[in-house]
């Protein structure tokens, strides 16, 4: 099967760079599947998981937003943070989830705070989700 | 003579205790330099990727309008000045500040300073510049969230038309012994795409819309550039401090050597004098 280069970078490391067959990412407008020779596209990504297909097998990782630049031979994902399921600190994610939920309950806060809490909640849920699917 | 000898001895003691301090500081900053360089190595790929990809995207945005891309008449300029929190780093802080002064060129009223590091804040606040924001105690180990805060602040200032241009001034880390203060224009983002030599003719699709994607990308570019600048600067600061301390230690050593020579001369002179006094005294008794 024909492959293309996928590069994923975060501020503190190069998360991934290799030849892949296909990827599925969660864009802000819904899931996108990308094969080689996809027409050039730029879109922002939602907090969610990315599925990478290599040698016929899928691996997953958690991604916290960012954007993807797709070209025929190469795709680049720039994100604030990316983690493999085995790297995710489950306890920390659970705590973050609890904290965010509590913050959402107190409605007196300003809108910015609510949005922030919501983003934190989504990140935590996403991490836990990726870990869950990995363990199954 | 004994008086002179005591003086010299005291000076030797004081110079060697200074040397101990500079030596310790040198060791500390070389350890920190190593860490900062590792961080720099890890960050550069991200920075390069973001800049390349955004340049590429912007080079094919003919006809797309976005407030952050538009040039307007430059009345007021914001300078993000990256210095350290502490001195004793040779010319590190003053070189950046000098560059700012050059850029400002006396046009104080139309300048907003965003200070990173105590040194920049103190210098510009004392001289009555308008301080648009200050970010202290982050220069040593900057985090991405710091850069994001600074980025948001300048994008906000630009959008509200409080400033018409944003420049980043930081020290570029070339190698462990050479650093250059540099200027990078962040906004308007027009310039990023002009730098690109590879013009692409392919049409890029944007989802959900070009405006929305650019609205996300340009602040991202600004933040990443600031982050890159902060990391470069932190490595440069440690490097500059290490070099300064190394030469201070060398100078102290040289001084101690010279003083020791003087001390020994004085000691010999006093012995010789004593001897000749004794001999003279013995002669007189004859």
């Amino acid at each position: 099967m024909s492959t293309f280069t996928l590069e994923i970078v975060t501020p503190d490391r190069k998360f991934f760079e290799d030849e892949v067959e296909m990827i599925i990412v969660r864009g802000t407008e819904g899931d996108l599947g990308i094969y080689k020779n996809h027409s050039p596209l730029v879109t922002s990504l939602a907090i969610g998981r990315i599925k990478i297909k290599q040698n016929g097998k899928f691996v997953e990782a958690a991604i916290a937003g960012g954007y993807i630049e797709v070209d025929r031979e190469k795709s680049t994902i720039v994100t604030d943070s990316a983690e493999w399921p085995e790297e995710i600190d489950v306890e920390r994610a659970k705590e973050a989830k609890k904290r965010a939920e509590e913050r959402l309950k107190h409605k007196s806060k300003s809108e910015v705070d609510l949005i922030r809490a919501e983003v934190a909640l989504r990140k935590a849920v996403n991490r836990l989700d990726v870990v869950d699917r990995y363990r199954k | 003579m004994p008086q002179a000898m005591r003086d010299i001895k005291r000076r030797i003691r004081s110079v060697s205790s200074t040397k101990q301090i500079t030596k310790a500081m040198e060791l500390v900053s070389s350890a920190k330099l190593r860490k900062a360089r590792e961080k720099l190595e890890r960050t550069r790929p991200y920075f390069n990727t973001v800049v390349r990809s955004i340049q590429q995207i912007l080079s094919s945005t003919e006809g797309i309008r976005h407030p952050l891309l538009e040039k307007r008449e430059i009345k007021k300029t914001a300078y993000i000045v990256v210095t350290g929190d502490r001195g004793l780093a040779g010319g590190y802080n003053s070189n950046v500040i000098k560059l700012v002064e050059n850029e400002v060129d006396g046009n104080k009223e139309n300048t907003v300073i965003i200070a990173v590091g105590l040194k920049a804040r103190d210098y510009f606040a004392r001289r009555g510049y308008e301080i648009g924001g200050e970010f202290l105690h982050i220069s040593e180990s900057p985090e991405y969230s710091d850069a994001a805060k600074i980025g948001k602040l300048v994008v906000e200032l630009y959008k509200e038309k409080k400033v018409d241009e944003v420049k980043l001034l930081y020290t570029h880390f070339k190698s462990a012994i050479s650093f250059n203060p540099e200027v990078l224009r962040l906004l308007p983002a027009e310039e990023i795409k002009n730098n690109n030599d590879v013009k692409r003719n392919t049409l890029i699709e944007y989802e959900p819309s070009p405006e929305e994607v650019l609205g996300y990308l340009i602040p991202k570019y600004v933040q990443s550039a600031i982050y890159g600048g902060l990391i470069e600067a932190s490595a440069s600061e440690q490097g500059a401090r290490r070099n300064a301390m190394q030469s201070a230690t060398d100078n102290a050593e040289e001084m101690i050597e010279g003083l020791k020579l003087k001390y020994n001369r004085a000691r010999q002179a006093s012995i010789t004098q004593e001897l000749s006094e004794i001999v003279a005294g013995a002669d007189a008794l004859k």
Side-chain angles (χ1 to χ4, degrees):
Chain A
M1 199 171 176
S2 56
T3 59
F4 63 98
T5 314
L6 173 69
E7 193 182 3
I8 303 178
V9 291
T10 72
D12 37 272
R13 62 179 167 160
K14 187 162 241 167
F15 181 70
F16 187 91
E17 187 175 21
D18 207 354
E19 294 290 313
V20 299
E21 289 163 18
M22 179 210 183
I23 54 171
I24 300 175
V25 293
R26 177 148 301 175
T28 37
E29 301 284 285
D31 280 10
L32 281 168
I34 293 154
Y35 285 96
K36 189 187 160 88
N37 281 328
H38 193 288
S39 64
L41 166 84
V42 179
T43 183
S44 42
L45 297 178
I47 296 165
R49 53 178 181 270
I50 171 175
K51 288 183 171 179
I52 303 167
K53 192 177 182 189
Q54 262 183 317
N55 307 320
K57 266 189 228 144
F58 274 109
V59 286
E60 286 193 356
I63 277 187
Y67 73 94
I68 182 167
E69 182 204 357
V70 180
D71 210 342
R72 297 194 188 280
E73 302 289 327
K74 187 176 182 187
S75 287
T76 309
I77 294 179
V78 175
T79 172
D80 292 346
S81 92
E83 290 153 308
W84 298 114
E86 54 264 49
E87 290 169 349
I88 292 174
D89 187 338
V90 179
E91 288 310 308
R92 214 185 121 203
K94 274 184 188 156
E95 255 165 55
K97 187 182 163 200
K98 221 193 281 169
R99 251 198 329 262
E101 278 168 346
E102 249 155 56
R103 251 182 254 154
L104 283 176
K105 272 181 206 154
H106 301 295
K107 282 183 187 154
S108 57
K109 291 244 178 72
S110 67
E111 202 166 327
V112 180
D113 280 336
L114 283 179
I115 291 171
R116 211 175 276 165
E118 205 184 311
V119 169
L121 180 62
R122 255 194 253 146
K123 279 184 187 169
V125 170
N126 176 46
R127 288 201 170 102
L128 293 173
D129 201 36
V130 168
V131 173
D132 268 356
R133 292 170 56 94
Y134 174 69
R135 292 204 175 141
K136 259 175 208 165
Chain B
M1 267 308 165
Q3 177 65 40
M5 271 165 68
R6 225 177 301 139
D7 280 350
I8 296 170
K9 241 192 162 158
R10 195 183 304 134
R11 282 199 61 198
I12 291 179
R13 243 198 322 266
S14 109
V15 174
S16 20
S17 69
T18 310
K19 188 187 125 186
Q20 266 181 357
I21 295 169
T22 55
K23 184 91 198 167
M25 285 183 75
E26 183 193 330
L27 290 177
V28 169
S29 41
S30 36
K32 282 186 181 163
L33 173 64
R34 202 175 324 120
K35 261 210 220 141
R37 278 183 85 167
E38 274 167 25
K39 200 165 176 186
L40 185 64
E41 301 298 320
R42 277 202 313 258
T43 321
R44 269 193 181 150
Y46 173 78
F47 181 62
N48 293 340
T49 311
V50 173
V51 171
R52 183 197 51 78
S53 116
I54 290 181
Q55 274 182 357
Q56 226 169 55
I57 294 167
L58 291 185
S59 71
S60 46
T61 52
E62 295 302 326
I64 296 173
R65 297 176 69 80
H66 194 275
L68 292 176
L69 275 175
E70 254 163 68
K71 261 187 190 159
R72 48 184 192 240
E73 196 196 336
I74 292 160
K75 287 182 222 116
K76 211 157 188 177
T77 306
Y79 296 92
I80 306 170
V81 186
V82 187
T83 64
D85 290 319
R86 271 175 290 168
L88 289 180
Y92 170 75
N93 291 319
S94 55
N95 284 343
V96 178
I97 287 170
K98 240 184 265 161
L99 186 66
V100 179
E101 297 258 279
N102 264 345
E103 286 280 322
V104 172
D105 205 16
N107 199 355
K108 216 190 222 176
E109 303 80 50
N110 293 324
T111 300
V112 181
I113 300 282
I114 316 267
V116 180
L118 274 171
K119 289 285 162 185
R121 204 267 319 253
D122 290 353
Y123 183 92
F124 291 105
R126 203 179 312 130
R127 280 161 186 76
Y129 281 84
E130 184 184 339
I131 306 281
E134 49 182 65
F135 297 86
L136 310 175
H137 311 297
I138 58 160
S139 340
E140 208 173 287
S141 56
E143 296 291 331
Y144 190 80
S145 53
D146 300 322
K149 262 186 240 153
I150 302 171
K152 268 180 205 141
L153 175 74
V154 293
V155 169
E156 209 55 40
L157 284 175
Y158 188 82
K159 272 189 188 157
E160 288 169 8
K161 306 209 169 162
K162 282 185 182 147
V163 299
D164 309 294
E165 188 185 34
V166 177
K167 284 181 176 174
L168 172 71
L169 292 100
Y170 68 102
T171 310
H172 179 73
F173 185 85
K174 260 201 196 141
S175 72
I177 47 161
S178 101
F179 337 95
N180 272 354
E182 269 178 19
V183 191
L184 187 68
R185 189 158 144 192
L186 298 179
L187 290 172
E190 179 73 21
E191 205 130 298
I192 325 169
K193 73 179 180 192
N194 290 352
N195 286 340
N196 197 10
D197 357 284
V198 240
K199 278 263 173 197
R200 289 199 319 179
N201 298 318
T202 39
L203 207 66
I204 298 184
E205 273 177 65
Y206 295 92
E207 257 191 50
S209 67
E211 285 73 23
E212 211 150 313
V213 171
L214 287 183
Y216 174 79
L217 280 185
I218 296 169
K220 190 90 215 162
Y221 167 78
V222 171
Q223 287 173 13
S224 309
I226 295 173
Y227 185 59
L230 289 179
I231 300 277
E232 296 267 350
S234 80
S236 304
E237 185 187 350
Q238 297 309 336
R241 180 164 297 126
R242 198 196 66 173
N243 288 352
M245 288 304 120
Q246 198 170 25
S247 56
T249 311
D250 289 349
N251 285 345
E253 242 155 46
E254 220 168 86
M255 244 174 124
I256 291 173
E257 210 115 290
L259 285 170
K260 266 192 183 150
L261 200 67
K262 247 188 183 170
Y263 173 78
N264 282 336
R265 280 214 186 109
R267 192 175 58 94
Q268 260 178 348
S270 83
I271 292 170
T272 315
Q273 200 188 1
E274 256 173 63
L275 272 179
S276 66
E277 273 165 14
I278 294 168
V279 172
D283 272 352
L285 284 179
K286 266 184 198 164

